[in-house]
Amino acid sequence: MKLYPGNFLIDQFLSGVSGAYANQLLTNFGVVVRRESNLPDSHPVDDWLASGLLDYRDGSLAEPLCPVPLASCAIAAMKCFCVLSGLQAPIAEQGAKILGCRSILTGFTPKGTQSAGKSCHLIPSRDGQIALNLARHQDWEALAALFSTESSVSSWVSVRRHAKHFSSKQLLDTGRLLGLTIADALASDSSTPNWFHIPFAIQTKEQGFNQKPSKQSPLIIDLSSLWAGPLCSYLWQQAGAHIIKVESTARPDGARQGNAEFYQLINQGKHSVSLALDTHQGQQQLKNLIRQADIVIEASRPRALRQMGIHAEALLESNPGLTWLSISAYGRCKTAQNWPGYGDETAVAAGLSHIIYQVCGAWRFCGDAIADPLTGLHAALAGWAGWRSGGGKLIELSLYNVVRHCIAATAPQDNDYRRRYRAWRRYLAQIPARPRPKILKAQRGTAELGKHNHLYLHPKSTLVKNFYDSNLAAI
Amino acid sequence: MIVLKPGTRLKSAVCETQIMLVKGRGEHDLCCGGIAMQALNAMGSPTTQLDFDSPFAAGTLMGKRYVNSDGSIEALCTKAGLGSLSLGPNLDNLLQIKQTEALPASD
């Protein structure tokens, strides 16, 4: 899939594992990277330490070392985004830190078979291992139906007792019908996936990267919540984009109720609009905003927007310069589009916990909802590339495929993770204890819900654009 | 009357609607489109068609949960259809869409 026709040479210091991964990401766009590295290769273990996800303060690790270089992948995605957007250091150095920022701020780390966020657990089924994420109260209410029992299931002990009587397939089939976030930790799909798809595009002349975009900075409508989507628009904002965070009045971004410093970190400086999306008027207001946007980013299941009368394809037809970035758990294809997912169990579905199990014999999570920040970083790259190449595309990323891509693209020879694990442990043993990296801190405040409604919800729909154009310098 | 328990899967006799019971037990006359629902594995596709002017034709939405007035019965729509869910062919006993829960603070 080429977003950029022709060759575009980029001189970058791309070295080591992260350099190779960055190369692979950029070649997806037809971009040729000239590697002229003078820098020493950074070891993937150093990259993991830079993420803050490995607690090595006393010279030993409480949790197993993950033999997949995901921190290196994060650094690579960030560097690629900086190359395309012209962003410079220090932002470019933050790729690894983004993976660990929430864990450091909350102090939460995975414990045994429990995720850092505590709501997801790895549990044995009759014939395998699954991950079940019960993040909402209503998920617990659905457990009686999942296990076909008349008694209520209200503790993880009870979940484990019931789960061992069902096959993984039974639990996944029923769990997905019930809208539960559930994953098979042993599912094996060794094919290398694309990390993004373009399921729909308007037939327009490709502008190509070399042409100047019509605007210096895009106007972005961000409908996403929690981590991956807001992180992505935060990165665009660093590159000069103007972000309008649009939330439902009835169901605002849940992260507003979570760790305040973390929310501020990835939502700082964004304008906030709240709409009554369960009403016709609110849905029309949203369509008006989208018609004037350069990029829309959303992380909802397609049916949620369709039930509101919001159709990505139709809106692309009416605004052909638009780039529509869709983040989902498992993709927009017919079978998977209704499966919900969060950052912990989608990584399990991609095979991450199974790899850790292979090297240390224990079922463990890696990091804190790690698919979320990884996907946010990759999405920033793909969405920016879509905008710079003229828009008119629906670009789709899924948490599942991004993690699968990171795994497949960096797999060791013969898939021998044990050997790599031993080598990485030897490397780590030479490193003295290390303090955790410094916390990323927000520079600006966040807007309370709906603070900027008065700027954007004027009955004359062209106002957004006027406001935007005339106030660009001031924003 | 159908014996219900959590996990029971039913289909409409007059439209495409399918549900899974999330909460509730015992015998109930759970209807869709005003006609008693059937076990999911019952033979055949809908035999009678739902009248468009039927008062039980407000439709079901995939992924939404429907509850009765005292909240003792809760059904998740696993396939959307044209009929409305009710207890008995009784307009006073229509199941209502349960308010979607707030998003979690973190995952």
Side-chain angles (χ1 to χ4, degrees), chain A residues 181-195:
Chain A
T181 41
I182 189 166
D184 184 351
L186 283 165
S188 60
D189 186 346
S190 56
S191 62
T192 306
N194 293 318
W195 59 278

Side-chain angles (χ1 to χ4, degrees), chain A residues 55-90:
Chain A
D55 187 352
Y56 197 58
R57 283 173 295 187
D58 59 1
S60 66
L61 292 180
E63 291 295 321
L65 176 64
C66 174
V68 182
L70 295 178
S72 313
C73 295
I75 291 170
M78 190 69 163
K79 282 196 169 166
C80 292
F81 174 64
C82 291
V83 164
L84 293 198
S85 65
L87 261 179
Q88 304 294 328

Side-chain angles (χ1 to χ4, degrees), chain A residues 252-314:
Chain A
D253 185 351
R256 284 182 180 275
Q257 309 304 317
N259 183 281
E261 280 179 283
F262 174 68
Y263 181 80
Q264 195 182 345
L265 180 64
I266 59 172
N267 289 290
Q268 55 181 308
K270 296 176 185 174
H271 281 190
S272 170
V273 165
S274 66
L275 296 175
L277 291 176
D278 48 354
T279 66
H280 180 71
Q281 190 199 11
Q283 293 163 6
Q284 289 306 314
Q285 287 170 322
L286 176 57
K287 279 191 206 172
N288 274 338
L289 287 173
I290 290 173
R291 283 196 194 101
Q292 300 167 69
D294 297 303
I295 306 180
V296 169
I297 174 167
E298 47 88 7
S300 42
R301 285 176 274 173
R303 84 163 182 241
L305 288 172
R306 279 186 210 128
Q307 284 175 356
M308 286 183 218
I310 308 286
H311 297 267
E313 292 83 355

Side-chain angles (χ1 to χ4, degrees), chain A residues 205-391:
Chain A
K205 202 168 131 258
E206 287 268 3
Q207 290 187 349
F209 186 77
N210 286 318
Q211 283 192 5
K212 224 178 148 187
S214 54
K215 271 199 281 188
Q216 277 303 308
S217 61
L219 176 65
I220 285 158
I221 303 293
D222 181 358
L223 300 168
S224 68
S225 57
L226 295 175
W227 194 351
L231 166 64
C232 175
S233 68
Y234 160 74
L235 295 172
W236 290 337
Q237 186 184 42
Q238 301 299 306
H242 180 62
I243 318 292
I244 306 176
K245 182 179 177 73
V246 178
E247 291 163 273
S248 151
T249 314
R251 295 182 81 214
D253 185 351
R256 284 182 180 275
Q257 309 304 317
N259 183 281
E261 280 179 283
F262 174 68
Y263 181 80
Q264 195 182 345
L265 180 64
I266 59 172
N267 289 290
Q268 55 181 308
K270 296 176 185 174
H271 281 190
S272 170
V273 165
S274 66
L275 296 175
L277 291 176
D278 48 354
T279 66
H280 180 71
Q281 190 199 11
Q283 293 163 6
Q284 289 306 314
Q285 287 170 322
L286 176 57
K287 279 191 206 172
N288 274 338
L289 287 173
I290 290 173
R291 283 196 194 101
Q292 300 167 69
D294 297 303
I295 306 180
V296 169
I297 174 167
E298 47 88 7
S300 42
R301 285 176 274 173
R303 84 163 182 241
L305 288 172
R306 279 186 210 128
Q307 284 175 356
M308 286 183 218
I310 308 286
H311 297 267
E313 292 83 355
L315 286 157
L316 277 162
E317 301 270 12
S318 68
N319 178 5
L322 182 66
T323 295
W324 188 293
L325 192 87
S326 156
I327 297 177
S328 63
Y330 297 92
R332 291 173 73 97
C333 76
K334 202 167 174 357
T335 45
Q337 63 173 350
N338 289 322
W339 302 346
Y342 299 115
D344 279 309
E345 84 288 340
T346 47
V348 174
L352 201 54
S353 291
H354 190 209
I355 290 171
I356 297 172
Y357 179 78
Q358 285 168 35
V359 297
C360 71
W363 286 100
R364 292 291 182 267
F365 289 99
C366 170
D368 175 18
I370 198 147
D372 269 318
L374 277 176
T375 304
L377 284 160
H378 283 74
L381 177 60
W384 199 265
W387 172 63
R388 285 298 303 265
S389 66

Side-chain angles (χ1 to χ4, degrees), chain A residues 40-111:
Chain A
D41 287 4
S42 163
H43 193 282
V45 171
D46 288 319
D47 294 341
W48 268 128
L49 287 168
S51 76
L53 283 173
L54 287 187
D55 187 352
Y56 197 58
R57 283 173 295 187
D58 59 1
S60 66
L61 292 180
E63 291 295 321
L65 176 64
C66 174
V68 182
L70 295 178
S72 313
C73 295
I75 291 170
M78 190 69 163
K79 282 196 169 166
C80 292
F81 174 64
C82 291
V83 164
L84 293 198
S85 65
L87 261 179
Q88 304 294 328
I91 303 285
E93 307 307 319
Q94 291 179 359
K97 276 192 177 186
I98 282 170
L99 296 188
C101 64
R102 192 174 76 176
S103 176
I104 290 180
L105 286 170
T106 59
F108 297 158
T109 52
K111 294 225 164 47

